[in-house]
Amino acid sequence: MSERITKIERFLTACTALAAGKYAGAEAKISEILASIAASDDLTQLFTAVTQDFDYLSAKKNFLREPQTGAAHGTAYLPAQRSDLLAFVFCLFVEIDSKAVSLGELLSRYFYVDGSTTASFALFAARVVKPFRDIVRDCYPAANAAEQEAKEQREEALEKLLSLLPLEQERLEEFPLRDTDRGSSKIILDGAMNALSAGDCANARAILAGYRYFVRLLGAENELSTQIFEFAQLL
């Protein structure tokens, strides 16, 4: 995979993480999206082109509609033209990242759903993040294919780990360890299993990275643990 495609894949992955995630941590994911754009010459050129003659202030007034008289909440729309949609969402993300716009206030004002931040963020993800990601994905078919391949690898690695970690727990039950170390290993592996069961690959990968140092310290590495760490790298 070329470096150019890898950088675009980073953007697509960051957008997917934002769309599939929760309100908590969303601002950090928006920062990652912007960082991935800055790291890619292709994406930098794309967003420079679409924002060059784009009037963001006018677009905000047009697409972020203020509440009508007597209403408590406004409504958000997106430009119909694909280039304008990219420009609008990009500029909105820049404002959120710079704290010029509060994501929480944006959700409660224009994406309000029954007072639920979770539901409001899900609406924001569906109406704003996913179309933004999908337009860029359509612009770079090779990156789309690479992202799909990476997704399939993650899914396969997750399935393999869910089958291997119980075997690793059984192995350490038979391994000569102090009770405190045995208890610690169970806590770590249970945490990894819980993260994987929830589909939280990033957390599972971090837990298993720590577990790798743990088993090395104990001198307890073997072929099974090595296989686990190899699959963890694919999450």
Side-chain angles (χ1 to χ4, degrees), residues 149-184:
E149 181 182 354
K151 178 182 177 182
E152 291 172 358
Q153 285 184 336
R154 286 193 297 272
E155 290 174 349
E156 181 182 1
L158 189 151
E159 184 178 344
K160 292 286 188 181
L161 287 168
L162 284 172
S163 67
L164 292 176
L165 289 181
L167 300 178
E168 177 73 351
Q169 287 184 325
E170 292 177 8
R171 181 178 78 87
L172 289 187
E173 284 294 325
E174 304 298 325
F175 199 85
L177 297 175
R178 295 180 302 175
D179 288 343
T180 53
D181 292 333
R182 196 181 312 281
S184 296

mmCIF file of all heavy atoms in Angstrom, residues 149-184:
data_model
loop_
_atom_site.group_PDB
_atom_site.id
_atom_site.type_symbol
_atom_site.label_atom_id
_atom_site.label_comp_id
_atom_site.label_asym_id
_atom_site.label_seq_id
_atom_site.Cartn_x
_atom_site.Cartn_y
_atom_site.Cartn_z
ATOM 1 N N GLU A 149 -10.130 -3.578 3.305
ATOM 2 C CA GLU A 149 -9.211 -4.668 3.632
ATOM 3 C C GLU A 149 -8.778 -4.611 5.092
ATOM 4 O O GLU A 149 -8.725 -5.630 5.788
ATOM 5 C CB GLU A 149 -7.986 -4.603 2.722
ATOM 6 C CG GLU A 149 -6.973 -5.713 2.966
ATOM 7 C CD GLU A 149 -5.750 -5.591 2.073
ATOM 8 O OE1 GLU A 149 -5.728 -4.713 1.193
ATOM 9 O OE2 GLU A 149 -4.802 -6.380 2.262
ATOM 10 N N ALA A 150 -8.478 -3.389 5.557
ATOM 11 C CA ALA A 150 -8.076 -3.222 6.958
ATOM 12 C C ALA A 150 -9.217 -3.594 7.904
ATOM 13 O O ALA A 150 -8.995 -4.192 8.960
ATOM 14 C CB ALA A 150 -7.631 -1.780 7.198
ATOM 15 N N LYS A 151 -10.440 -3.231 7.501
ATOM 16 C CA LYS A 151 -11.609 -3.570 8.325
ATOM 17 C C LYS A 151 -11.765 -5.076 8.443
ATOM 18 O O LYS A 151 -12.030 -5.615 9.523
ATOM 19 C CB LYS A 151 -12.872 -2.959 7.711
ATOM 20 C CG LYS A 151 -14.148 -3.289 8.471
ATOM 21 C CD LYS A 151 -15.367 -2.706 7.788
ATOM 22 C CE LYS A 151 -16.638 -3.098 8.520
ATOM 23 N NZ LYS A 151 -17.859 -2.579 7.829
ATOM 24 N N GLU A 152 -11.600 -5.771 7.324
ATOM 25 C CA GLU A 152 -11.711 -7.234 7.329
ATOM 26 C C GLU A 152 -10.618 -7.863 8.190
ATOM 27 O O GLU A 152 -10.861 -8.850 8.897
ATOM 28 C CB GLU A 152 -11.651 -7.765 5.905
ATOM 29 C CG GLU A 152 -12.882 -7.396 5.076
ATOM 30 C CD GLU A 152 -12.743 -7.753 3.609
ATOM 31 O OE1 GLU A 152 -11.659 -8.254 3.223
ATOM 32 O OE2 GLU A 152 -13.700 -7.519 2.850
ATOM 33 N N GLN A 153 -9.406 -7.277 8.130
ATOM 34 C CA GLN A 153 -8.315 -7.781 8.966
ATOM 35 C C GLN A 153 -8.630 -7.590 10.444
ATOM 36 O O GLN A 153 -8.370 -8.475 11.264
ATOM 37 C CB GLN A 153 -7.012 -7.063 8.625
ATOM 38 C CG GLN A 153 -6.372 -7.514 7.325
ATOM 39 C CD GLN A 153 -5.035 -6.839 7.095
ATOM 40 O OE1 GLN A 153 -4.758 -5.763 7.620
ATOM 41 N NE2 GLN A 153 -4.184 -7.474 6.304
ATOM 42 N N ARG A 154 -9.196 -6.421 10.790
ATOM 43 C CA ARG A 154 -9.554 -6.160 12.196
ATOM 44 C C ARG A 154 -10.610 -7.143 12.678
ATOM 45 O O ARG A 154 -10.525 -7.652 13.806
ATOM 46 C CB ARG A 154 -10.043 -4.722 12.358
ATOM 47 C CG ARG A 154 -8.949 -3.669 12.301
ATOM 48 C CD ARG A 154 -9.452 -2.325 12.788
ATOM 49 N NE ARG A 154 -10.526 -1.797 11.960
ATOM 50 C CZ ARG A 154 -10.323 -1.053 10.877
ATOM 51 N NH1 ARG A 154 -9.096 -0.765 10.481
ATOM 52 N NH2 ARG A 154 -11.355 -0.599 10.172
ATOM 53 N N GLU A 155 -11.598 -7.397 11.824
ATOM 54 C CA GLU A 155 -12.671 -8.313 12.207
ATOM 55 C C GLU A 155 -12.146 -9.729 12.409
ATOM 56 O O GLU A 155 -12.543 -10.428 13.353
ATOM 57 C CB GLU A 155 -13.773 -8.292 11.149
ATOM 58 C CG GLU A 155 -14.558 -6.984 11.114
ATOM 59 C CD GLU A 155 -15.553 -6.917 9.966
ATOM 60 O OE1 GLU A 155 -15.485 -7.806 9.082
ATOM 61 O OE2 GLU A 155 -16.385 -5.996 9.959
ATOM 62 N N GLU A 156 -11.241 -10.144 11.529
ATOM 63 C CA GLU A 156 -10.649 -11.474 11.662
ATOM 64 C C GLU A 156 -9.781 -11.561 12.919
ATOM 65 O O GLU A 156 -9.845 -12.557 13.659
ATOM 66 C CB GLU A 156 -9.799 -11.803 10.433
ATOM 67 C CG GLU A 156 -9.172 -13.191 10.496
ATOM 68 C CD GLU A 156 -8.282 -13.494 9.305
ATOM 69 O OE1 GLU A 156 -8.129 -12.613 8.438
ATOM 70 O OE2 GLU A 156 -7.729 -14.612 9.257
ATOM 71 N N ALA A 157 -8.996 -10.514 13.170
ATOM 72 C CA ALA A 157 -8.137 -10.499 14.354
ATOM 73 C C ALA A 157 -8.972 -10.519 15.624
ATOM 74 O O ALA A 157 -8.645 -11.224 16.593
ATOM 75 C CB ALA A 157 -7.241 -9.264 14.333
ATOM 76 N N LEU A 158 -10.070 -9.777 15.632
ATOM 77 C CA LEU A 158 -10.941 -9.742 16.813
ATOM 78 C C LEU A 158 -11.509 -11.129 17.085
ATOM 79 O O LEU A 158 -11.502 -11.611 18.231
ATOM 80 C CB LEU A 158 -12.068 -8.732 16.576
ATOM 81 C CG LEU A 158 -12.966 -8.394 17.776
ATOM 82 C CD1 LEU A 158 -13.499 -6.972 17.644
ATOM 83 C CD2 LEU A 158 -14.142 -9.356 17.869
ATOM 84 N N GLU A 159 -11.983 -11.796 16.024
ATOM 85 C CA GLU A 159 -12.550 -13.141 16.180
ATOM 86 C C GLU A 159 -11.503 -14.118 16.696
ATOM 87 O O GLU A 159 -11.774 -14.943 17.586
ATOM 88 C CB GLU A 159 -13.108 -13.606 14.835
ATOM 89 C CG GLU A 159 -13.811 -14.955 14.899
ATOM 90 C CD GLU A 159 -14.392 -15.359 13.561
ATOM 91 O OE1 GLU A 159 -14.520 -14.486 12.672
ATOM 92 O OE2 GLU A 159 -14.714 -16.559 13.400
ATOM 93 N N LYS A 160 -10.289 -14.040 16.141
ATOM 94 C CA LYS A 160 -9.216 -14.936 16.579
ATOM 95 C C LYS A 160 -8.861 -14.711 18.043
ATOM 96 O O LYS A 160 -8.672 -15.667 18.812
ATOM 97 C CB LYS A 160 -7.983 -14.722 15.710
ATOM 98 C CG LYS A 160 -8.123 -15.173 14.272
ATOM 99 C CD LYS A 160 -8.094 -16.673 14.151
ATOM 100 C CE LYS A 160 -8.049 -17.114 12.697
ATOM 101 N NZ LYS A 160 -8.042 -18.598 12.561
ATOM 102 N N LEU A 161 -8.776 -13.446 18.427
ATOM 103 C CA LEU A 161 -8.399 -13.133 19.808
ATOM 104 C C LEU A 161 -9.459 -13.603 20.799
ATOM 105 O O LEU A 161 -9.126 -14.066 21.897
ATOM 106 C CB LEU A 161 -8.153 -11.629 19.954
ATOM 107 C CG LEU A 161 -6.854 -11.124 19.317
ATOM 108 C CD1 LEU A 161 -6.839 -9.601 19.250
ATOM 109 C CD2 LEU A 161 -5.645 -11.624 20.098
ATOM 110 N N LEU A 162 -10.711 -13.480 20.422
ATOM 111 C CA LEU A 162 -11.777 -13.949 21.316
ATOM 112 C C LEU A 162 -11.686 -15.455 21.554
ATOM 113 O O LEU A 162 -12.122 -15.940 22.610
ATOM 114 C CB LEU A 162 -13.146 -13.589 20.734
ATOM 115 C CG LEU A 162 -13.561 -12.116 20.861
ATOM 116 C CD1 LEU A 162 -14.840 -11.859 20.089
ATOM 117 C CD2 LEU A 162 -13.738 -11.726 22.323
ATOM 118 N N SER A 163 -11.114 -16.176 20.601
ATOM 119 C CA SER A 163 -10.937 -17.622 20.783
ATOM 120 C C SER A 163 -9.626 -17.966 21.476
ATOM 121 O O SER A 163 -9.528 -18.989 22.175
ATOM 122 C CB SER A 163 -11.026 -18.342 19.435
ATOM 123 O OG SER A 163 -9.935 -17.988 18.603
ATOM 124 N N LEU A 164 -8.614 -17.110 21.316
ATOM 125 C CA LEU A 164 -7.285 -17.415 21.873
ATOM 126 C C LEU A 164 -7.125 -16.973 23.328
ATOM 127 O O LEU A 164 -6.397 -17.624 24.093
ATOM 128 C CB LEU A 164 -6.198 -16.754 21.021
ATOM 129 C CG LEU A 164 -6.006 -17.305 19.606
ATOM 130 C CD1 LEU A 164 -4.953 -16.482 18.862
ATOM 131 C CD2 LEU A 164 -5.608 -18.775 19.638
ATOM 132 N N LEU A 165 -7.756 -15.878 23.701
ATOM 133 C CA LEU A 165 -7.539 -15.362 25.063
ATOM 134 C C LEU A 165 -8.013 -16.329 26.151
ATOM 135 O O LEU A 165 -7.333 -16.464 27.190
ATOM 136 C CB LEU A 165 -8.200 -13.993 25.225
ATOM 137 C CG LEU A 165 -7.505 -12.855 24.466
ATOM 138 C CD1 LEU A 165 -8.209 -11.532 24.701
ATOM 139 C CD2 LEU A 165 -6.038 -12.732 24.869
ATOM 140 N N PRO A 166 -9.149 -17.019 25.993
ATOM 141 C CA PRO A 166 -9.496 -18.022 27.014
ATOM 142 C C PRO A 166 -8.446 -19.123 27.134
ATOM 143 O O PRO A 166 -8.183 -19.625 28.237
ATOM 144 C CB PRO A 166 -10.840 -18.584 26.509
ATOM 145 C CG PRO A 166 -11.418 -17.485 25.681
ATOM 146 C CD PRO A 166 -10.230 -16.845 25.009
ATOM 147 N N LEU A 167 -7.821 -19.506 26.005
ATOM 148 C CA LEU A 167 -6.748 -20.504 26.049
ATOM 149 C C LEU A 167 -5.534 -19.962 26.799
ATOM 150 O O LEU A 167 -4.860 -20.704 27.523
ATOM 151 C CB LEU A 167 -6.345 -20.907 24.629
ATOM 152 C CG LEU A 167 -7.438 -21.536 23.753
ATOM 153 C CD1 LEU A 167 -6.896 -21.839 22.364
ATOM 154 C CD2 LEU A 167 -7.980 -22.803 24.413
ATOM 155 N N GLU A 168 -5.276 -18.673 26.609
ATOM 156 C CA GLU A 168 -4.155 -18.049 27.326
ATOM 157 C C GLU A 168 -4.420 -18.019 28.826
ATOM 158 O O GLU A 168 -3.508 -18.248 29.638
ATOM 159 C CB GLU A 168 -3.944 -16.617 26.790
ATOM 160 C CG GLU A 168 -2.850 -15.837 27.491
ATOM 161 C CD GLU A 168 -1.448 -16.289 27.141
ATOM 162 O OE1 GLU A 168 -1.291 -17.334 26.466
ATOM 163 O OE2 GLU A 168 -0.494 -15.608 27.567
ATOM 164 N N GLN A 169 -5.672 -17.767 29.202
ATOM 165 C CA GLN A 169 -6.017 -17.792 30.626
ATOM 166 C C GLN A 169 -5.818 -19.185 31.208
ATOM 167 O O GLN A 169 -5.283 -19.332 32.322
ATOM 168 C CB GLN A 169 -7.473 -17.335 30.813
ATOM 169 C CG GLN A 169 -7.681 -15.839 30.608
ATOM 170 C CD GLN A 169 -9.107 -15.418 30.886
ATOM 171 O OE1 GLN A 169 -10.053 -16.147 30.609
ATOM 172 N NE2 GLN A 169 -9.269 -14.234 31.436
ATOM 173 N N GLU A 170 -6.231 -20.201 30.467
ATOM 174 C CA GLU A 170 -6.044 -21.584 30.937
ATOM 175 C C GLU A 170 -4.557 -21.917 31.062
ATOM 176 O O GLU A 170 -4.137 -22.595 32.005
ATOM 177 C CB GLU A 170 -6.708 -22.550 29.959
ATOM 178 C CG GLU A 170 -8.223 -22.471 29.943
ATOM 179 C CD GLU A 170 -8.831 -23.394 28.914
ATOM 180 O OE1 GLU A 170 -8.071 -24.215 28.321
ATOM 181 O OE2 GLU A 170 -10.045 -23.318 28.677
ATOM 182 N N ARG A 171 -3.761 -21.428 30.106
ATOM 183 C CA ARG A 171 -2.317 -21.697 30.136
ATOM 184 C C ARG A 171 -1.676 -21.113 31.380
ATOM 185 O O ARG A 171 -0.854 -21.763 32.049
ATOM 186 C CB ARG A 171 -1.655 -21.108 28.886
ATOM 187 C CG ARG A 171 -0.156 -21.344 28.806
ATOM 188 C CD ARG A 171 0.422 -20.780 27.531
ATOM 189 N NE ARG A 171 0.586 -19.341 27.592
ATOM 190 C CZ ARG A 171 1.668 -18.722 28.084
ATOM 191 N NH1 ARG A 171 2.662 -19.445 28.589
ATOM 192 N NH2 ARG A 171 1.753 -17.409 28.076
ATOM 193 N N LEU A 172 -2.058 -19.874 31.720
ATOM 194 C CA LEU A 172 -1.445 -19.225 32.880
ATOM 195 C C LEU A 172 -1.930 -19.820 34.197
ATOM 196 O O LEU A 172 -1.265 -19.679 35.225
ATOM 197 C CB LEU A 172 -1.702 -17.725 32.841
ATOM 198 C CG LEU A 172 -0.941 -16.973 31.751
ATOM 199 C CD1 LEU A 172 -1.133 -15.468 31.908
ATOM 200 C CD2 LEU A 172 0.540 -17.299 31.767
ATOM 201 N N GLU A 173 -3.078 -20.478 34.155
ATOM 202 C CA GLU A 173 -3.540 -21.176 35.358
ATOM 203 C C GLU A 173 -2.581 -22.308 35.719
ATOM 204 O O GLU A 173 -2.409 -22.642 36.895
ATOM 205 C CB GLU A 173 -4.952 -21.739 35.139
ATOM 206 C CG GLU A 173 -6.060 -20.709 35.195
ATOM 207 C CD GLU A 173 -6.210 -20.105 36.579
ATOM 208 O OE1 GLU A 173 -6.000 -20.833 37.577
ATOM 209 O OE2 GLU A 173 -6.507 -18.897 36.667
ATOM 210 N N GLU A 174 -1.960 -22.884 34.699
ATOM 211 C CA GLU A 174 -1.021 -23.994 34.914
ATOM 212 C C GLU A 174 0.421 -23.517 35.045
ATOM 213 O O GLU A 174 1.295 -24.283 35.452
ATOM 214 C CB GLU A 174 -1.118 -24.984 33.733
ATOM 215 C CG GLU A 174 -2.517 -25.532 33.480
ATOM 216 C CD GLU A 174 -3.036 -26.313 34.669
ATOM 217 O OE1 GLU A 174 -2.222 -26.984 35.340
ATOM 218 O OE2 GLU A 174 -4.249 -26.247 34.940
ATOM 219 N N PHE A 175 0.673 -22.264 34.721
ATOM 220 C CA PHE A 175 2.040 -21.739 34.757
ATOM 221 C C PHE A 175 2.418 -21.392 36.203
ATOM 222 O O PHE A 175 1.594 -20.863 36.961
ATOM 223 C CB PHE A 175 2.126 -20.473 33.890
ATOM 224 C CG PHE A 175 3.522 -20.112 33.488
ATOM 225 C CD1 PHE A 175 4.112 -20.684 32.367
ATOM 226 C CD2 PHE A 175 4.268 -19.197 34.229
ATOM 227 C CE1 PHE A 175 5.405 -20.345 31.994
ATOM 228 C CE2 PHE A 175 5.561 -18.866 33.875
ATOM 229 C CZ PHE A 175 6.133 -19.444 32.745
ATOM 230 N N PRO A 176 3.651 -21.685 36.617
ATOM 231 C CA PRO A 176 4.059 -21.396 38.000
ATOM 232 C C PRO A 176 4.188 -19.888 38.253
ATOM 233 O O PRO A 176 5.191 -19.273 37.883
ATOM 234 C CB PRO A 176 5.407 -22.110 38.132
ATOM 235 C CG PRO A 176 5.923 -22.204 36.727
ATOM 236 C CD PRO A 176 4.720 -22.364 35.855
ATOM 237 N N LEU A 177 3.154 -19.300 38.835
ATOM 238 C CA LEU A 177 3.133 -17.872 39.137
ATOM 239 C C LEU A 177 2.781 -17.653 40.601
ATOM 240 O O LEU A 177 2.121 -18.489 41.232
ATOM 241 C CB LEU A 177 2.082 -17.154 38.278
ATOM 242 C CG LEU A 177 2.256 -17.150 36.761
ATOM 243 C CD1 LEU A 177 1.032 -16.504 36.125
ATOM 244 C CD2 LEU A 177 3.518 -16.399 36.372
ATOM 245 N N ARG A 178 3.179 -16.503 41.116
ATOM 246 C CA ARG A 178 2.695 -16.098 42.430
ATOM 247 C C ARG A 178 1.204 -15.795 42.313
ATOM 248 O O ARG A 178 0.710 -15.427 41.251
ATOM 249 C CB ARG A 178 3.440 -14.863 42.920
ATOM 250 C CG ARG A 178 4.933 -15.082 43.180
ATOM 251 C CD ARG A 178 5.575 -13.796 43.655
ATOM 252 N NE ARG A 178 5.389 -12.716 42.681
ATOM 253 C CZ ARG A 178 5.777 -11.462 42.889
ATOM 254 N NH1 ARG A 178 6.326 -11.114 44.044
ATOM 255 N NH2 ARG A 178 5.591 -10.559 41.947
ATOM 256 N N ASP A 179 0.491 -15.918 43.424
ATOM 257 C CA ASP A 179 -0.951 -15.684 43.392
ATOM 258 C C ASP A 179 -1.273 -14.268 42.921
ATOM 259 O O ASP A 179 -2.241 -14.066 42.183
ATOM 260 C CB ASP A 179 -1.557 -15.916 44.788
ATOM 261 C CG ASP A 179 -1.574 -17.396 45.156
ATOM 262 O OD1 ASP A 179 -1.423 -18.234 44.237
ATOM 263 O OD2 ASP A 179 -1.730 -17.705 46.353
ATOM 264 N N THR A 180 -0.445 -13.307 43.341
ATOM 265 C CA THR A 180 -0.711 -11.922 42.937
ATOM 266 C C THR A 180 -0.550 -11.756 41.427
ATOM 267 O O THR A 180 -1.338 -11.066 40.769
ATOM 268 C CB THR A 180 0.233 -10.953 43.669
ATOM 269 O OG1 THR A 180 1.598 -11.375 43.469
ATOM 270 C CG2 THR A 180 -0.079 -10.896 45.151
ATOM 271 N N ASP A 181 0.482 -12.402 40.845
ATOM 272 C CA ASP A 181 0.696 -12.321 39.397
ATOM 273 C C ASP A 181 -0.408 -13.057 38.644
ATOM 274 O O ASP A 181 -0.854 -12.597 37.580
ATOM 275 C CB ASP A 181 2.059 -12.910 39.022
ATOM 276 C CG ASP A 181 3.214 -12.054 39.530
ATOM 277 O OD1 ASP A 181 2.998 -10.835 39.693
ATOM 278 O OD2 ASP A 181 4.309 -12.592 39.744
ATOM 279 N N ARG A 182 -0.842 -14.178 39.196
ATOM 280 C CA ARG A 182 -1.921 -14.919 38.546
ATOM 281 C C ARG A 182 -3.206 -14.082 38.536
ATOM 282 O O ARG A 182 -3.929 -14.023 37.549
ATOM 283 C CB ARG A 182 -2.163 -16.248 39.279
ATOM 284 C CG ARG A 182 -2.992 -17.232 38.452
ATOM 285 C CD ARG A 182 -3.224 -18.531 39.233
ATOM 286 N NE ARG A 182 -1.992 -19.043 39.829
ATOM 287 C CZ ARG A 182 -1.070 -19.718 39.151
ATOM 288 N NH1 ARG A 182 -1.239 -19.933 37.862
ATOM 289 N NH2 ARG A 182 0.005 -20.159 39.757
ATOM 290 N N GLY A 183 -3.452 -13.413 39.657
ATOM 291 C CA GLY A 183 -4.634 -12.559 39.739
ATOM 292 C C GLY A 183 -4.542 -11.376 38.781
ATOM 293 O O GLY A 183 -5.534 -11.008 38.130
ATOM 294 N N SER A 184 -3.346 -10.804 38.669
ATOM 295 C CA SER A 184 -3.156 -9.672 37.759
ATOM 296 C C SER A 184 -3.365 -10.098 36.307
ATOM 297 O O SER A 184 -3.980 -9.372 35.513
ATOM 298 C CB SER A 184 -1.750 -9.092 37.920
ATOM 299 O OG SER A 184 -1.573 -8.559 39.217
#
